[in-house]
Amino acid sequence: MTIGAINKTWFNQARYIPPDAIFALTAQYVADSFPQKVNLGQGTYRDENGNPWVLPSVRQSRDLLSQKLNHEYLPIVGLASFRQETAKLALGAELFAKQESKLATCQSLSGTGALHLAGLLLRACSTTLPKIYIPEPTWSNHHQVFSSLGFQCETFQYYNPETKDLDIDSYYSALKAAEPNSVIIIHACAHNPTGCDPTKEQWRELAQIIKERQLFPLFDAAYLGFNSGNVDDDAFAIRLFIEETKLEAGVCLSFAKNMGLYGERVGCFLLSTSAEETAVKTQSMLEMLQRSEVSNPPAYGARIASTILADATLRQAWHDDLITMSDRIRSMRKALYDQLVSSGAPGSWEHLIRQSGMFGFLGLSPDIVQKLREQYHIYMAGNSRISIAGLNEQNVAYVGNSITECLKQSS
């Protein structure tokens, strides 16, 4: 063996990938020793004292499970009761009963894993890869998941920065111009990062265009119940597309936000098909794809979620928890708006209270975002998306006043 051979590597073509922006931002926040620092970057729920909150319904579910846990493998496609209860949750009991034989479901590694499974299935079922149409802006992982699988990702304007609202005309136009047999990524509710969702009438129009253009709707449903406090309200678009518009649709569900099961990575991919035979075939393909990726999904979080959803008392307790979280987020959204207005922040801030869900899209320039981080130790995404859940009674005035000072200094 020559000396030169010792330095041989298979990875000469490897390139350095910068850290994920949000996780890097969180690391900066953790390393900051400033006592009044505020983390508005990472989308995790915090209570009124800024601490992680374990939902009471989750605590009760864990207590029930503690005496009968084992560590056996789950089936390849996951815990059967979890998959069934998740499908009931997304579709509602009545539609689930009608559609059950036409469903294919697979437990996943949270919402990211569900999106990845959906992409694998779409790729495996296509002779020519469909285009993936993704709203702009969106959750950054949408592009990473589908481009990593070889799909061509196309963006369309979802948000109008001038009106600071949903650009519904652009949305309609993009769908009407989309290539038939393409895939459209849809935020089921609580659009991330803008917090701007279509109205019910706009959802109906979107569904009709998608049907006419022969597009496949793939819902990212990371916030069911967490957005409004009511699962049925937040699942409106999913049920409309499947029941009223008679569309095949994929739904990628996560229980990170709405049950606080961030670390357990509890998710599910649900495919509503047009025929029982299609459901049987796609179910078998999901099993094969899951086997080649993770073999078996993790059990603990799925058992927690399944126990909550299957028990009437625990399910009601969970609904109460959803109201607690969504109400606190709404109150903090209003408190920040009031503080910005009362402190004389330049510009209009009505968009902040028009938005809904965990995130607020402030519409600040990158320079202001940087100044807030460096001078005031307030951490938010570079596009000025903030996690409203990171606000509380102790820091909301500081955040509002800091934004006002930065804007006045730059004007």
Side-chain angles (χ1 to χ4, degrees), residues 203-229:
W203 277 125
R204 289 191 171 90
E205 180 67 21
L206 290 166
Q208 285 302 318
I209 297 172
I210 286 170
K211 186 170 187 177
E212 290 166 7
R213 295 297 298 168
Q214 299 178 340
L215 306 175
F216 179 75
L218 182 59
F219 286 96
D220 185 342
Y223 300 96
L224 292 188
F226 189 90
N227 183 42
S228 68

Short mmCIF file of all heavy atoms in Angstrom, two decimals, residues 203-229:
data_model
loop_
_atom_site.label_atom_id
_atom_site.label_comp_id
_atom_site.label_asym_id
_atom_site.label_seq_id
_atom_site.Cartn_x
_atom_site.Cartn_y
_atom_site.Cartn_z
N TRP A 203 -61.44 28.13 -0.02
CA TRP A 203 -61.09 26.72 -0.04
C TRP A 203 -61.92 25.98 -1.09
O TRP A 203 -61.40 25.12 -1.82
CB TRP A 203 -61.31 26.08 1.33
CG TRP A 203 -60.21 26.23 2.34
CD1 TRP A 203 -60.32 26.75 3.59
CD2 TRP A 203 -58.84 25.83 2.20
NE1 TRP A 203 -59.11 26.71 4.24
CE2 TRP A 203 -58.18 26.15 3.41
CE3 TRP A 203 -58.11 25.24 1.17
CZ2 TRP A 203 -56.83 25.88 3.62
CZ3 TRP A 203 -56.75 24.98 1.37
CH2 TRP A 203 -56.12 25.30 2.59
N ARG A 204 -63.19 26.29 -1.17
CA ARG A 204 -64.06 25.62 -2.16
C ARG A 204 -63.60 25.92 -3.58
O ARG A 204 -63.58 25.04 -4.44
CB ARG A 204 -65.52 26.03 -1.95
CG ARG A 204 -66.15 25.45 -0.70
CD ARG A 204 -67.66 25.66 -0.65
NE ARG A 204 -68.25 24.91 0.44
CZ ARG A 204 -68.41 25.38 1.67
NH1 ARG A 204 -68.05 26.64 1.95
NH2 ARG A 204 -68.93 24.63 2.63
N GLU A 205 -63.24 27.17 -3.83
CA GLU A 205 -62.75 27.54 -5.16
C GLU A 205 -61.44 26.83 -5.47
O GLU A 205 -61.23 26.33 -6.59
CB GLU A 205 -62.58 29.06 -5.23
CG GLU A 205 -62.09 29.58 -6.57
CD GLU A 205 -63.10 29.38 -7.70
OE1 GLU A 205 -64.31 29.22 -7.41
OE2 GLU A 205 -62.67 29.38 -8.88
N LEU A 206 -60.55 26.78 -4.50
CA LEU A 206 -59.27 26.09 -4.69
C LEU A 206 -59.49 24.61 -4.99
O LEU A 206 -58.83 24.04 -5.88
CB LEU A 206 -58.40 26.25 -3.43
CG LEU A 206 -57.85 27.65 -3.16
CD1 LEU A 206 -57.31 27.74 -1.74
CD2 LEU A 206 -56.77 28.02 -4.16
N ALA A 207 -60.41 23.99 -4.27
CA ALA A 207 -60.69 22.56 -4.49
C ALA A 207 -61.19 22.31 -5.91
O ALA A 207 -60.79 21.34 -6.57
CB ALA A 207 -61.71 22.07 -3.47
N GLN A 208 -62.06 23.18 -6.39
CA GLN A 208 -62.60 23.02 -7.75
C GLN A 208 -61.51 23.17 -8.81
O GLN A 208 -61.46 22.41 -9.78
CB GLN A 208 -63.72 24.03 -8.00
CG GLN A 208 -65.03 23.69 -7.29
CD GLN A 208 -65.57 22.32 -7.68
OE1 GLN A 208 -65.55 21.93 -8.85
NE2 GLN A 208 -66.06 21.59 -6.68
N ILE A 209 -60.64 24.14 -8.62
CA ILE A 209 -59.54 24.33 -9.58
C ILE A 209 -58.62 23.11 -9.58
O ILE A 209 -58.20 22.63 -10.64
CB ILE A 209 -58.75 25.61 -9.25
CG1 ILE A 209 -59.64 26.85 -9.38
CG2 ILE A 209 -57.53 25.74 -10.18
CD1 ILE A 209 -58.99 28.13 -8.88
N ILE A 210 -58.30 22.61 -8.39
CA ILE A 210 -57.43 21.44 -8.28
C ILE A 210 -58.06 20.24 -8.98
O ILE A 210 -57.38 19.48 -9.68
CB ILE A 210 -57.14 21.15 -6.79
CG1 ILE A 210 -56.16 22.19 -6.25
CG2 ILE A 210 -56.59 19.75 -6.59
CD1 ILE A 210 -55.97 22.17 -4.76
N LYS A 211 -59.37 20.09 -8.84
CA LYS A 211 -60.05 18.98 -9.51
C LYS A 211 -60.03 19.16 -11.03
O LYS A 211 -59.74 18.22 -11.77
CB LYS A 211 -61.49 18.87 -9.00
CG LYS A 211 -62.22 17.65 -9.52
CD LYS A 211 -63.55 17.45 -8.81
CE LYS A 211 -64.20 16.13 -9.22
NZ LYS A 211 -65.45 15.90 -8.48
N GLU A 212 -60.34 20.37 -11.47
CA GLU A 212 -60.36 20.64 -12.91
C GLU A 212 -58.98 20.47 -13.55
O GLU A 212 -58.87 20.00 -14.69
CB GLU A 212 -60.88 22.07 -13.15
CG GLU A 212 -62.36 22.24 -12.84
CD GLU A 212 -62.76 23.71 -12.75
OE1 GLU A 212 -61.91 24.58 -13.07
OE2 GLU A 212 -63.92 23.98 -12.37
N ARG A 213 -57.93 20.85 -12.82
CA ARG A 213 -56.57 20.78 -13.37
C ARG A 213 -55.93 19.42 -13.14
O ARG A 213 -54.78 19.20 -13.51
CB ARG A 213 -55.70 21.87 -12.74
CG ARG A 213 -56.12 23.29 -13.06
CD ARG A 213 -56.01 23.57 -14.56
NE ARG A 213 -54.64 23.45 -15.04
CZ ARG A 213 -54.29 23.43 -16.31
NH1 ARG A 213 -55.23 23.48 -17.24
NH2 ARG A 213 -53.02 23.32 -16.68
N GLN A 214 -56.66 18.50 -12.52
CA GLN A 214 -56.16 17.14 -12.27
C GLN A 214 -54.86 17.16 -11.45
O GLN A 214 -53.87 16.50 -11.77
CB GLN A 214 -55.96 16.38 -13.58
CG GLN A 214 -57.24 16.23 -14.39
CD GLN A 214 -57.03 15.52 -15.70
OE1 GLN A 214 -55.91 15.44 -16.21
NE2 GLN A 214 -58.10 14.99 -16.27
N LEU A 215 -54.89 17.94 -10.39
CA LEU A 215 -53.75 18.03 -9.49
C LEU A 215 -53.98 17.13 -8.27
O LEU A 215 -55.12 16.79 -7.95
CB LEU A 215 -53.54 19.47 -9.04
CG LEU A 215 -53.40 20.52 -10.15
CD1 LEU A 215 -53.32 21.92 -9.56
CD2 LEU A 215 -52.18 20.23 -11.02
N PHE A 216 -52.91 16.77 -7.61
CA PHE A 216 -53.02 15.95 -6.40
C PHE A 216 -52.73 16.81 -5.18
O PHE A 216 -51.63 17.34 -5.03
CB PHE A 216 -52.04 14.77 -6.44
CG PHE A 216 -52.10 13.91 -5.20
CD1 PHE A 216 -53.15 13.04 -4.99
CD2 PHE A 216 -51.10 13.99 -4.23
CE1 PHE A 216 -53.21 12.25 -3.84
CE2 PHE A 216 -51.15 13.21 -3.09
CZ PHE A 216 -52.22 12.34 -2.89
N PRO A 217 -53.72 16.99 -4.29
CA PRO A 217 -53.49 17.80 -3.08
C PRO A 217 -52.81 16.99 -1.98
O PRO A 217 -53.27 15.91 -1.61
CB PRO A 217 -54.91 18.19 -2.67
CG PRO A 217 -55.78 17.08 -3.18
CD PRO A 217 -55.11 16.52 -4.40
N LEU A 218 -51.71 17.52 -1.48
CA LEU A 218 -51.00 16.89 -0.38
C LEU A 218 -50.99 17.87 0.80
O LEU A 218 -50.32 18.91 0.75
CB LEU A 218 -49.56 16.53 -0.79
CG LEU A 218 -48.72 15.81 0.26
CD1 LEU A 218 -49.36 14.49 0.68
CD2 LEU A 218 -47.30 15.57 -0.27
N PHE A 219 -51.76 17.54 1.82
CA PHE A 219 -51.93 18.42 2.97
C PHE A 219 -50.82 18.21 4.00
O PHE A 219 -50.53 17.07 4.40
CB PHE A 219 -53.28 18.16 3.66
CG PHE A 219 -54.46 18.68 2.91
CD1 PHE A 219 -55.18 17.85 2.06
CD2 PHE A 219 -54.86 20.00 3.05
CE1 PHE A 219 -56.29 18.32 1.38
CE2 PHE A 219 -55.97 20.48 2.37
CZ PHE A 219 -56.69 19.64 1.53
N ASP A 220 -50.23 19.29 4.44
CA ASP A 220 -49.37 19.28 5.61
C ASP A 220 -50.23 19.74 6.78
O ASP A 220 -50.59 20.91 6.89
CB ASP A 220 -48.18 20.22 5.40
CG ASP A 220 -47.18 20.15 6.54
OD1 ASP A 220 -47.54 19.67 7.63
OD2 ASP A 220 -46.03 20.59 6.36
N ALA A 221 -50.59 18.79 7.64
CA ALA A 221 -51.54 19.06 8.73
C ALA A 221 -50.81 18.95 10.07
O ALA A 221 -51.01 18.00 10.83
CB ALA A 221 -52.73 18.10 8.66
N ALA A 222 -49.98 19.93 10.36
CA ALA A 222 -49.16 19.89 11.57
C ALA A 222 -49.84 20.54 12.77
O ALA A 222 -49.33 20.46 13.89
CB ALA A 222 -47.82 20.58 11.32
N TYR A 223 -51.01 21.19 12.55
CA TYR A 223 -51.58 22.03 13.61
C TYR A 223 -53.06 21.78 13.85
O TYR A 223 -53.76 22.66 14.34
CB TYR A 223 -51.38 23.51 13.25
CG TYR A 223 -49.94 23.91 13.10
CD1 TYR A 223 -49.35 23.95 11.84
CD2 TYR A 223 -49.17 24.21 14.20
CE1 TYR A 223 -48.03 24.30 11.69
CE2 TYR A 223 -47.83 24.56 14.06
CZ TYR A 223 -47.27 24.61 12.80
OH TYR A 223 -45.95 24.95 12.66
N LEU A 224 -53.57 20.58 13.54
CA LEU A 224 -54.99 20.34 13.73
C LEU A 224 -55.38 20.51 15.20
O LEU A 224 -54.82 19.85 16.07
CB LEU A 224 -55.38 18.93 13.26
CG LEU A 224 -55.29 18.65 11.75
CD1 LEU A 224 -55.89 17.28 11.44
CD2 LEU A 224 -55.97 19.73 10.93
N GLY A 225 -56.33 21.37 15.46
CA GLY A 225 -56.76 21.64 16.83
C GLY A 225 -55.94 22.70 17.52
O GLY A 225 -56.44 23.43 18.38
N PHE A 226 -54.68 22.81 17.16
CA PHE A 226 -53.77 23.78 17.79
C PHE A 226 -54.04 25.18 17.27
O PHE A 226 -53.80 26.16 17.97
CB PHE A 226 -52.33 23.36 17.48
CG PHE A 226 -51.28 24.13 18.22
CD1 PHE A 226 -50.81 23.69 19.45
CD2 PHE A 226 -50.73 25.28 17.70
CE1 PHE A 226 -49.84 24.38 20.14
CE2 PHE A 226 -49.75 25.99 18.38
CZ PHE A 226 -49.31 25.54 19.59
N ASN A 227 -54.54 25.28 16.05
CA ASN A 227 -54.75 26.58 15.43
C ASN A 227 -55.91 27.32 16.08
O ASN A 227 -55.75 28.40 16.64
CB ASN A 227 -54.99 26.40 13.93
CG ASN A 227 -55.15 27.72 13.21
OD1 ASN A 227 -54.44 28.67 13.47
ND2 ASN A 227 -56.11 27.77 12.30
N SER A 228 -57.11 26.72 16.01
CA SER A 228 -58.31 27.39 16.50
C SER A 228 -58.75 26.90 17.87
O SER A 228 -59.60 27.52 18.51
CB SER A 228 -59.46 27.16 15.50
OG SER A 228 -59.84 25.80 15.49
N GLY A 229 -58.20 25.76 18.29
CA GLY A 229 -58.70 25.10 19.50
C GLY A 229 -59.76 24.07 19.19
O GLY A 229 -60.25 23.40 20.09
#
